[in-house]
Amino acid sequence: MLNGVRLIQELSPKSLDQLVSYGERCSVRIVAARLNQIGVPAVAFDSWDVGMLTDSQFGDAKLLPSSEEAIRNAFNNRIDPDVVAVVTGFIAQDPDGKITTLGRGGSDLSATAIGAACGVDEIQVWKDVDGILSADPRLVPDAIPVDDVSYDEASELAYFGAQVLHPIAMQPARKHDIPVRVKNSYNPSA
């Protein structure tokens, strides 16, 4: 694929979505393999294999309404509940089987779409900060975590530049009134 891009000196949004999908697709396989090595049964899935379908707006695709039921059916009927499903985030497929990316907040959208479809009690998104903070920690070193934020407040924070949660990513959780907890990958106990 890269040789083709080099030869024609062009990278369309459709080709870019295909290209950037490889990192995510490799990562879930590596994580699932490692979990299995340490005794945690796990299987890697591409998001489309668990029902995530989008429109064909490459680079900023939107989930199709049919995704919710398809995800629910996949987890209820095809995925072993005793196995950790390691699912790609940020990518999906359109109805023609072309790989799409979900744009800003796409990984979180993947998590909230799956969590909402499965009817979980809480959705966790893992970031590099200790939750939603009172200010940008790069600008305000003494920023502190805010204990509780409504969906409207989170949307307003995003509007004013907060990078931690994108409003579109929270829509599936909001629709089903499922809380979203922001956790820190580097400080899991925070």
Side-chain angles (χ1 to χ4, degrees):
M1 178 172 194
L2 290 176
N3 193 42
V5 170
R6 182 186 63 81
L7 289 171
I8 63 171
Q9 296 290 299
E10 186 174 271
L11 183 60
S12 69
K14 180 176 161 184
S15 295
L16 181 60
D17 280 5
Q18 174 78 32
L19 183 63
V20 300
S21 77
Y22 292 120
E24 189 74 16
R25 294 161 69 194
C26 288
S27 295
V28 297
R29 286 154 177 80
I30 292 167
V31 169
R34 181 63 182 138
L35 287 171
N36 282 301
Q37 280 181 339
I38 63 172
V40 177
V43 177
F45 292 96
D46 291 318
S47 64
W48 48 88
D49 293 329
V50 300
M52 290 187 66
L53 292 174
T54 67
D55 61 19
S56 301
Q57 185 62 45
F58 300 101
D60 193 23
K62 305 294 180 259
L63 287 177
L64 296 178
S66 61
S67 290
E68 184 174 344
E69 185 176 340
I71 294 166
R72 184 178 307 109
N73 287 337
F75 277 88
N76 286 340
N77 302 318
R78 293 192 357 250
I79 298 174
D80 183 345
D82 297 322
V83 172
V84 174
V86 184
V87 182
T88 56
F90 180 66
I91 61 173
Q93 277 185 348
D94 72 3
D96 295 325
K98 302 297 181 196
I99 293 176
T100 59
T101 57
L102 300 174
R104 183 167 171 237
S107 294
D108 295 346
L109 176 58
S110 300
T112 60
I114 292 170
C118 293
V120 299
D121 295 328
E122 175 184 277
I123 298 166
Q124 293 182 357
V125 293
W126 290 76
K127 304 288 186 173
D128 60 356
V129 293
D130 294 336
I132 296 176
L133 303 178
S134 59
D136 184 337
R138 296 169 298 183
L139 303 174
V140 181
D142 296 331
I144 57 171
V146 178
D147 289 334
D148 197 70
V149 176
S150 72
Y151 293 111
D152 288 336
E153 290 166 334
S155 292
E156 191 169 330
L157 287 168
Y159 176 79
F160 286 108
Q163 299 290 317
V164 70
L165 292 175
H166 192 278
I168 290 173
M170 299 303 104
Q171 288 176 350
R174 183 179 194 158
K175 176 181 173 187
H176 293 279
D177 199 28
I178 299 172
V180 177
R181 184 178 309 273
V182 179
K183 299 287 289 179
N184 188 340
S185 302
Y186 303 106
N187 185 16
S189 62

